[in-house]
Amino acid sequence: MMNSKKIYAGIGLALVLGITISGCAPKVTVTPDQEQAEFSKARSTYNELMGYNPPETLTYHYRTLISQAESFKAKGDTVQAIALAEQAGEQAAMSLQVWKEQIAKIRVSRDQARTDLQTLYPVNYPLIKRYWEDEARYQRKDFQTLPKEADQLVKDISQTRNTSIVADRYIMVDAPDNYIKQWGDARIYQEVTPEGKYKTVVDTVPNGTRVKFIRILLFSPEQTIYFVESPSTEKQGWISEKYLNVGEIKY
């Protein structure tokens, strides 16, 4: 005699799948609308995944399963088409999660590189250039080659720091003549706004003054801003790179 638990389990499964039991021939009760909904769900997840430019290895299983689902759909086998479309959606969802986790790790490395570069002295412009090139690729969602490069940049910054210890952390103020004529001595500001504007003058320093380097702000590829200390007043603030003579360290 068949175990009663197995009988009930079989009936339950049939009900879940929308199947009516009549003798030995189950009848499927799924509809074309249900089929379309499952396909749409799978494709929506896949489209979200593709928005992050994943490698082909993360889309292979979805593409295989959805192709098989389309074949069964064309044959009119709605049950099998739905089952395969559901599997395709699950594969896309898993790949999306894996890829988002990888992208999050890239972002951590990118943020670490930025933090390290902003305190590195002498300021290393080739490394800064690499940072902005990688950042541009990140913003374009060109993630596939970034994991290795992001980690390598952090390592290179660390190695540069360990081999570039400089006791003299002073930079010469050297504002252009036209600035001096219009505004006078170079200004040191208390704040840099999110728009990259300077706010609240805390000190002014004449050309030829050597100000102490504290850190930089990588505001944009075109704008590096220095946080310095005036030796005569010991006041600290921000000054534009274009008002400093960084020729000796801009290599």
Side-chain angles (χ1 to χ4, degrees), residues 2 24 29-30 32 39 68 84 92 108 172 201 214 218 225 234:
M2 183 178 292
C24 296
T29 59
V30 293
F39 272 82
Q68 293 172 352
L84 286 166
V108 169
M172 187 79 71
V201 177
I214 298 176
L218 297 178
I225 305 171
E234 296 186 347

Side-chain angles (χ1 to χ4, degrees), residues 82-200:
I82 287 176
L84 286 166
E86 182 179 11
Q87 291 178 48
E90 290 172 350
Q91 286 294 326
M94 286 190 290
S95 293
L96 178 61
Q97 180 180 352
V98 167
W99 195 229
K100 280 186 173 181
E101 289 173 355
Q102 182 63 65
I103 293 169
K105 291 179 181 178
I106 295 172
R107 185 69 263 171
V108 169
S109 292
R110 304 289 305 122
D111 292 344
Q112 184 64 53
R114 185 187 186 99
T115 297
D116 292 348
L117 278 172
Q118 291 185 147
T119 58
L120 179 64
Y121 190 86
V123 178
N124 190 301
Y125 282 85
L127 291 177
I128 290 174
K129 181 181 179 181
R130 281 174 56 188
Y131 170 83
W132 286 119
E133 288 173 347
D134 287 351
E135 185 64 20
R137 292 163 62 195
Y138 183 93
Q139 296 302 325
R140 293 195 305 267
K141 298 183 179 179
D142 183 11
F143 301 121
Q144 294 189 34
T145 59
L146 274 177
K148 183 178 180 180
E149 293 188 8
D151 290 340
Q152 187 61 49
L153 180 57
V154 172
K155 292 177 182 177
D156 290 346
I157 295 169
S158 177
Q159 182 179 11
T160 300
R161 186 187 302 277
N162 293 336
T163 57
S164 302
I165 299 174
V166 178
D168 185 356
R169 296 169 66 90
Y170 286 87
I171 309 170
M172 187 79 71
V173 175
D174 188 20
D177 291 340
N178 59 346
Y179 176 92
I180 299 297
K181 290 178 181 178
Q182 183 173 3
W183 303 105
D185 292 338
R187 300 176 179 184
I188 296 177
Y189 293 85
Q190 182 179 29
E191 181 183 351
V192 179
T193 70
E195 296 76 29
K197 304 296 183 181
Y198 297 95
K199 185 177 179 181
T200 310

